Amino acid sequence: MEPRNPNWRARCAHSFDDQGVMATFGVTPTSLEPGRVTLTFPFRADLIQQHGFIHAGVITTVLDSACGYAAFTLMEDRAEVLTVEFKSNFLAPAKGQTFRCEGEVIKAGRTLMVTQGRAFAMDGGAETLISTMQATMMVVTDKAGVTR
């Protein structure tokens, strides 16, 4: 997959820094490649649900960003990304010391990009696939209130 913007890496990093929710959850980008993004965050007690697992909404939010930024890496310099839809499947409780969310572009269209995501929990030396996501991202250009 080829980026349509030679300055894609800096643009993605700047955009990610503008997301308050990622800072709130303590998420950091650990890998940024064309069409593929990895985000990680540590276990935090303030992100759990009643059983002590990271809340499904947190996992879904981070997976959505991983998929969105995977698509964003391939967009033109004047385009922005918005989620059109997603579906998540939870396969195991989100129990671990750290969490890794990967997003990957499956089909990079001019208007829509189809992505998939996977979330893993790392606990000691074990790694568990805890969630998958299928998401469609929209390439938004020249739209007041969305593009800069």
Side-chain angles (χ1 to χ4, degrees), residues 87-110:
K87 182 193 184 317
S88 292
N89 290 306
F90 291 87
L91 310 172
K95 178 182 176 186
Q97 298 163 330
T98 58
F99 300 87
R100 183 177 79 244
C101 294
E102 302 171 345
E104 180 179 10
V105 174
I106 303 305
K107 170 76 170 147
R110 289 181 302 175

Side-chain angles (χ1 to χ4, degrees), residues 19 22 39 47 67 115 129 132 134:
Q19 282 205 30
M22 292 296 107
L39 306 176
L47 301 178
C67 288
T115 65
L129 177 63
T132 62
Q134 174 84 22

Side-chain angles (χ1 to χ4, degrees), residues 58-109:
V58 173
I59 298 298
T60 301
T61 300
V62 180
L63 270 177
D64 175 47
S65 282
C67 288
Y69 278 100
F72 195 55
T73 65
L74 302 177
M75 293 183 186
E76 295 177 5
D77 64 347
R78 61 187 184 92
E80 295 290 338
V81 61
L82 285 177
T83 302
V84 174
E85 61 81 34
F86 61 72
K87 182 193 184 317
S88 292
N89 290 306
F90 291 87
L91 310 172
K95 178 182 176 186
Q97 298 163 330
T98 58
F99 300 87
R100 183 177 79 244
C101 294
E102 302 171 345
E104 180 179 10
V105 174
I106 303 305
K107 170 76 170 147

